[in-house]
Amino acid sequence: MSRNVVVIGTQWGDEGKGAIVDLLAERAHAVVRFQGGHNAGHTLVIDGERTVLHLIPSGILRSGVVCLIGNGVVLSLEALVEEMDRLAEKGVPVDDRLRLSPACPLILSSHKALDHARERALGSEAIGTTGRGIGPAYEDKVARRAVRLADLFEPEQLRERLADLLDLHNFLLQRYYSAEPVSLEEELQRLAGFFARVKPLIADVPELLRKMQSAERSVLFEGAQGALLDIDLGTYPFVTSSNTTVGGAATGTGMGPAPIDCVLGIVKAYTTRVGAGPFPTELFDDMGRHLAQVGAEFGSTTGRPRRCGWFDAVALRRAAFTNSLTGLSVTKLDVLDGLDEVKICTGYRLDGEILDTPPLLMDRYGECEPVYECMPGWREPTSGKTAFSDLPREARDFLRRIEEEVEIPVDIVSTGPGREAVIIRRHPFDPDQDSNT
């Protein structure tokens, strides 16, 4: 039986989506990225070897799996080619497995320059972007002035469109930010070199998906970042520039939402955030430092340390609704091993009231104080466990409490960074088979 599964991060990103996508790709015919850019960082650990992907879907290490980059992704050709070359050096036949939508907007050198210039100008009010040009590229897409991958097929049209765009970008860089301009000729030369490398990989992604649907092939849709960074539904303005929620799977690939059978929400057993922005359960004490150290909480893309805090069920309840979650995958449970107690935020205190949902005005999110439910921790290690029944009773109780708070079943539990360190209670591609109750 074929199924279409969407994997969504439900916090502020960095939930461990890459490892789960790699695991599920074993039963998929295709893996599709539908939003974001090379600001994503998905880490895979297979047989002890660590692979970090930024643009290429996390199914690329699986033979027989087609990896598609949909139109919702803003594409840095330089980053893509570098990533392809690194995989090829490891013996991965990336050219055989990867296909690109011609409708992808391109990230130009000027986008990156604008990103850095804006963050510098904002100073202490900076958003905390990755500085990779993602936001400016999406701005041009929405303004209908983007250079897209398809434009590279027509050199004269490309020159005209790029010249117009660089006129605007360079005006801003020089006159507003006192930064260096970007050369039209140098940018054309750069794009031409990268285009020669990726041209054979360009394909009609909606048509490929239509054929897979007709042939009853299973497809896995991979999101980047997390639901709380959604441009519309996240902690605005401290968000990314795309729709990280499940609706992006449709608009970012060209496949309508009706064929989606399952939406799996990835959530850490605690909460982290990179960059600026509100974070109600953030810890500033030794416990926060402990979670960061044991969880190796540094950004896969930027290397920046992640802010750490207790599990936030309030935020997860909202993500469960906005993404129509059908199941949860709880990652990094092993990071909580050995703690005397663990906490779940079940509400927010704001203006003397207890809220069980985020505040109506999102700019007040940072004023919310967490209301915690304390639960006993566990001494017996969970690391490497592959059966739910083998987990310590307290760990099982913790997971069941999460299920009760959000009314979504925990289908998968990750107990370590490796592909084999996982408990599958209900498989998204085979929901009728319960292997760990």
Side-chain angles (χ1 to χ4, degrees):
M1 178 181 67
S2 67
R3 285 173 65 83
N4 295 309
V5 176
V6 181
V7 172
I8 294 288
T10 61
Q11 297 168 316
W12 282 287
D14 307 305
E15 301 94 348
K17 296 179 292 297
I20 299 300
V21 170
D22 168 68
L23 172 74
L24 300 181
E26 182 180 21
R27 299 204 190 182
H29 296 93
V31 179
V32 193
R33 266 285 302 275
F34 59 83
Q35 51 78 215
H38 62 308
N39 55 341
H42 294 171
T43 302
L44 316 180
V45 180
I46 299 165
D47 297 330
E49 184 175 0
R50 185 172 181 266
T51 300
V52 179
L53 301 172
H54 299 285
L55 268 171
I56 295 176
S58 299
I60 196 68
L61 301 183
R62 295 281 189 181
S63 61
V65 175
V66 178
C67 290
L68 308 176
I69 294 181
N71 57 274
V73 175
V74 286
L75 196 59
S76 165
L77 291 180
E78 179 178 13
L80 176 64
V81 169
E82 288 178 357
E83 198 165 305
M84 290 169 60
D85 289 344
R86 285 196 300 270
L87 288 168
E89 290 172 1
K90 293 185 176 184
V92 179
V94 62
D95 290 59
D96 296 334
R97 299 177 182 175
L98 181 65
R99 296 295 178 264
L100 316 171
S101 169
C104 288
L106 299 182
I107 298 176
L108 307 172
S109 301
S110 52
H111 288 132
K112 185 175 179 180
L114 284 168
D115 204 348
H116 282 285
R118 287 175 179 174
E119 287 288 275
R120 284 195 302 269
L122 286 170
S124 62
E125 301 298 319
I127 299 297
T129 75
T130 58
R132 301 198 169 192
I134 308 297
Y138 273 116
E139 288 177 38
D140 285 338
K141 171 187 174 177
V142 173
R144 295 169 293 187
R145 58 176 176 251
V147 173
R148 305 201 299 177
L149 188 55
D151 293 324
L152 274 61
F153 283 97
E154 301 291 341
E156 290 306 314
Q157 176 179 305
L158 172 64
R159 173 178 285 275
E160 292 178 7
R161 181 163 295 188
L162 185 59
D164 289 342
L165 189 54
L166 286 183
D167 277 347
L168 173 61
H169 288 180
N170 285 335
F171 177 86
L172 291 171
L173 287 169
Q174 293 178 282
R175 301 292 185 88
Y176 195 80
Y177 295 112
S178 299
E180 292 296 316
V182 172
S183 165
L184 171 62
E185 297 303 327
E186 290 179 7
E187 192 69 6
L188 284 170
Q189 186 175 357
R190 287 180 67 260
L191 292 176
F194 295 134
F195 183 56
R197 178 77 167 83
V198 304
K199 183 178 179 180
L201 310 183
I202 299 173
D204 186 341
V205 170
E207 179 62 12
L208 290 176
L209 292 172
R210 188 193 67 78
K211 288 180 177 179
M212 289 179 193
Q213 188 73 22
S214 297
E216 297 186 349
R217 299 293 182 94
S218 293
V219 180
L220 186 58
F221 295 83
E222 178 183 26
Q225 291 87 43
L228 297 179
L229 292 175
D230 187 280
I231 184 65
D232 292 304
L233 301 169
T235 49
Y236 193 90
F238 299 96
V239 292
T240 193
S241 301
S242 60
N243 287 116
T244 60
T245 42
V246 70
T251 59
T253 64
M255 187 188 85
I260 295 174
D261 299 294
C262 170
V263 184
L264 182 69
I266 315 300
V267 59
K268 278 179 182 170
Y270 50 102
T271 310
T272 63
R273 178 165 197 167
V274 171
F279 184 178
T281 67
E282 184 173 8
L283 296 168
F284 300 95
D285 55 10
D286 289 342
M287 181 56 67
R289 288 185 285 274
H290 172 83
L291 294 175
Q293 181 179 3
V294 176
E297 294 298 350
F298 297 91
S300 300
T301 297
T302 64
R304 291 181 295 181
R306 296 175 184 142
R307 301 151 63 191
C308 296
W310 290 118
F311 190 94
D312 190 336
V314 181
L316 182 57
R317 280 196 290 267
R318 174 56 56 88
F321 177 75
T322 58
N323 289 284
S324 299
L325 296 185
T326 56
L328 294 173
S329 173
V330 178
T331 62
K332 291 199 168 184
L333 180 68
D334 55 304
V335 174
L336 302 183
D337 289 357
L339 299 181
D340 292 330
E341 67 175 11
V342 292
K343 296 182 180 181
I344 296 176
C345 172
T346 58
Y348 295 153
R349 182 178 288 108
L350 182 65
D351 296 336
E353 296 184 13
I354 303 298
L355 308 178
D356 60 3
T357 62
L360 176 63
L361 301 179
M362 195 56 76
D363 59 1
R364 300 203 66 193
Y365 207 97
E367 302 174 37
C368 294
E369 296 181 7
V371 177
Y372 288 121
E373 177 178 320
C374 297
M375 301 184 67
W378 51 90
R379 292 293 177 183
E380 181 185 345
T382 65
S383 180
K385 300 292 186 184
T386 57
F388 190 76
S389 58
D390 289 342
L391 293 175
R393 175 181 57 80
E394 295 85 356
R396 298 197 303 270
D397 290 344
F398 175 73
L399 295 170
R400 289 182 177 126
R401 190 70 189 95
I402 291 173
E403 291 180 322
E404 292 170 358
E405 278 293 315
V406 299
E407 299 182 336
I408 302 291
V410 173
D411 290 341
I412 298 175
V413 182
S414 172
T415 58
R419 183 185 275 176
E420 69 287 346
V422 66
I423 297 168
I424 301 178
R425 304 174 73 194
R426 186 178 64 155
H427 201 291
F429 284 115
D430 192 5
D432 295 328
Q433 180 182 352
D434 291 333
S435 56
N436 276 292
T437 56

